[in-house]
Amino acid sequence: MPIATPPPVPERFIKSNHSNMSYGTRLALISLIGVLLMIASFIVWGFTSSREATSTTTAREIAEAWGETVKIDGVELERDSLSSAIVPESYRCSAVVESQILHRSIYEAQVYNAQISLSGKMQAIADSCGASRFVFGVSPASVVSIDPLVLGGREYAWTQTENGFVAEVNEGGDEPFQINLKVKGSQGIIVKQCGLKNEINISGNCANPSFGTVDESLYEKPDYYGADPCPLPEKRSVTKEQFSASWCDDNAMSIATYASVTFLLGVDRYQKVERSLKYAFLIILFTFLSVFFAERLTKYPIPVLNYLLIGLALILFYVLLLSLCEHMTFGVAYAIASAMTACLISLYMWGMLHSKKVAGTILAILAVMYASCYVLLCLSTYALIMGALMMFCALAVSMYASVSYTHLTLPTKRIV
């Protein structure tokens, strides 16, 4: 009677050569793979910086074509009979900014239109003889339209000059004035507090205003030693899409100060990609630890080459994120790239170990890591403390998992 031939052993249970590799050798090779992956992440970082530089150059070109920083140098009254100009006794400026995003291909820049209203009252003067010129300092290139000067109840036409506008007037001092104009620009707006008493109000729909100088030349020649040419506003309010700021200054000592607001896009997409790359080491480390524990618990050694493929998938996540965020919002791009990467690695683990439980666990771990990284990217003030707490929790979970694995695989000996 012929002896029955036993069925062949499934291929996944055949002991291969890599199972004979010592733990030390495997850990050394896995560590080498981690180093190579970090080098790859730096290459992606450099590519991201290159794309950011291109985006910055394009945004600057768009801004220059639209208009640069608008600088209102104030008003003054010049008379032939006086050696110095007459500044306003009271000066008020109200600017309402409406920002918008301009696109060129996949790049964008933030620009704005602003409605500006200037009013006040000139100082009284004893000498009323001689011709008078009302001077308004502003870059003519940024002015879209300007209404005639209203001084003492009369209207006067403007004459454009290199540094602004001039109107020939009949009135002397102690006269109220009114100027209305529309401007367009980018980056920010600066208003000189030129009167003895000043009130500046700037508001608009920019979500990320910065109250400070946007013109470094203001700091080069202060009116007196230690002067701050751009003080912070006395009152300010910033919401998700609106802002308002007010400056009130008694400029009796003739110290030239400026109310300034810079309009920012916030942390843009390239900066967020670069920030996410800072967490690449942690994601690679904890993913490799998860795969290593899965390998030990299932008692099926995973080839070192498979660690390399998993690591390449983790690096490819950042390439996907960079390419997607250039065509959509960063949040949507991050969700798509992380979902693709987590599903790819989980299905790969399922194909290797034939274990839905292990694949689901890896998927959950990757989901938590990518979600935690996204939370850190959205934070600014509390990013460091949140990152430290998340790393502590991840380390605690890893230590607990290693202890549990040791108790399951090694005999426990109590030391008396």
Side-chain angles (χ1 to χ4, degrees):
M1 182 177 180
I3 300 176
T5 303
V9 179
E11 185 178 353
R12 65 183 293 261
F13 292 104
I14 297 177
K15 194 174 184 179
S16 57
N17 292 331
H18 68 262
S19 62
N20 296 325
M21 186 182 300
S22 64
Y23 286 148
T25 304
R26 288 176 60 79
L27 289 176
L29 291 176
I30 294 174
S31 300
L32 178 60
I33 291 175
V35 172
L36 295 176
L37 293 175
M38 289 307 302
I39 295 175
S41 69
F42 280 112
I43 294 175
V44 178
W45 194 327
F47 184 66
T48 303
S49 299
S50 175
R51 301 288 289 183
E52 182 180 12
T54 303
S55 175
T56 302
T57 302
T58 306
R60 186 181 298 112
E61 293 175 354
I62 297 174
E64 290 177 354
W66 178 269
E68 299 182 349
T69 301
V70 176
K71 185 177 180 182
I72 306 295
D73 281 326
V75 299
E76 60 185 18
L77 186 63
E78 296 181 350
R79 296 184 64 87
D80 294 339
S81 59
L82 299 177
S83 59
S84 60
I86 303 170
V87 298
E89 179 181 350
S90 62
Y91 178 68
R92 293 180 297 275
C93 175
S94 176
V96 180
V97 178
E98 182 179 355
S99 62
Q100 58 180 306
I101 303 296
L102 297 183
H103 295 269
R104 178 183 296 177
S105 183
I106 61 175
Y107 304 108
E108 62 185 20
Q110 182 170 256
V111 299
Y112 67 87
N113 292 292
Q115 180 72 46
I116 299 178
S117 176
L118 307 175
S119 62
K121 185 178 181 181
M122 303 304 295
Q123 297 184 74
I125 57 175
D127 185 5
S128 60
C129 300
S132 301
R133 290 175 299 278
F134 196 95
V135 181
F136 174 37
V138 64
S139 174
S142 62
V143 177
V144 178
S145 63
I146 182 170
D147 294 343
L149 167 67
V150 178
L151 178 64
R154 297 182 180 181
E155 292 187 353
Y156 297 90
W158 291 107
T159 301
Q160 182 175 321
T161 65
E162 182 180 356
N163 299 319
F165 297 88
V166 175
E168 300 292 338
V169 298
N170 298 325
E171 283 75 5
D174 196 22
E175 298 290 345
F177 65 89
Q178 178 75 36
I179 305 173
N180 295 316
L181 69 155
K182 295 181 180 179
V183 298
K184 63 177 183 179
S186 61
Q187 302 179 22
I189 182 171
I190 304 176
V191 180
K192 183 178 180 180
Q193 303 186 67
C194 61
L196 299 182
K197 294 183 179 180
N198 303 276
E199 180 181 346
I200 312 297
N201 297 286
I202 304 176
S203 60
N205 64 345
C206 178
N208 295 286
S210 175
F211 306 106
T213 181
V214 290
D215 188 352
E216 295 182 357
S217 64
L218 299 178
Y219 283 97
E220 296 176 358
K221 298 179 180 179
D223 284 21
Y224 74 102
Y225 182 77
D228 182 6
C230 294
L232 293 176
E234 280 73 18
K235 297 180 181 180
R236 56 181 171 179
S237 174
V238 180
T239 61
K240 186 176 181 180
E241 296 181 353
Q242 298 288 331
F243 81 94
S244 62
S246 299
W247 290 260
C248 296
D249 181 37
D250 186 356
N251 200 14
M253 297 181 63
S254 299
I255 301 172
T257 57
Y258 296 81
S260 64
V261 181
T262 305
F263 306 124
L264 306 173
L265 281 174
V267 181
D268 64 12
R269 53 195 176 189
Y270 296 106
Q271 292 177 346
K272 287 186 177 181
V273 174
E274 290 181 352
R275 288 177 58 188
S276 65
L277 281 165
K278 296 179 181 179
Y279 304 102
F281 172 75
L282 295 176
I283 291 181
I284 293 173
L285 174 62
F286 288 114
T287 302
F288 278 12
L289 284 177
S290 303
V291 175
F292 182 79
F293 283 132
E295 172 186 343
R296 300 270 67 85
L297 290 175
T298 58
K299 297 181 180 181
Y300 178 74
I302 299 176
V304 177
L305 177 63
N306 297 84
Y307 281 90
L308 176 60
L309 295 176
I310 292 173
L312 291 177
L314 295 174
I315 296 299
L316 184 60
F317 160 77
Y318 299 101
V319 180
L320 287 172
L321 178 61
L322 176 61
S323 60
L324 291 174
C325 73
E326 290 185 334
H327 301 277
M328 59 188 69
T329 61
F330 181 82
V332 175
Y334 191 94
I336 295 175
S338 58
M340 292 175 61
T341 304
C343 292
L344 175 63
I345 295 176
S346 301
L347 292 175
Y348 187 58
M349 293 295 295
W350 184 15
M352 284 192 301
L353 303 179
H354 297 278
S355 173
K356 294 182 179 180
K357 184 176 181 180
V358 171
T361 303
I362 296 295
L363 179 63
I365 292 173
L366 289 173
V368 170
M369 288 194 299
Y370 282 124
S372 302
C373 181
Y374 183 77
V375 171
L376 294 177
L377 294 176
C378 294
L379 297 174
S380 56
T381 306
Y382 303 101
L384 180 59
I385 186 173
M386 290 297 297
L389 292 175
M390 289 179 180
M391 286 188 291
F392 179 83
C393 294
L395 180 60
V397 172
S398 300
M399 294 172 68
Y400 176 78
S402 63
V403 171
S404 301
Y405 168 74
T406 303
H407 289 170
L408 289 175
T409 56
L410 297 178
T412 304
K413 292 184 178 180
R414 187 181 301 275
I415 299 177
V416 181

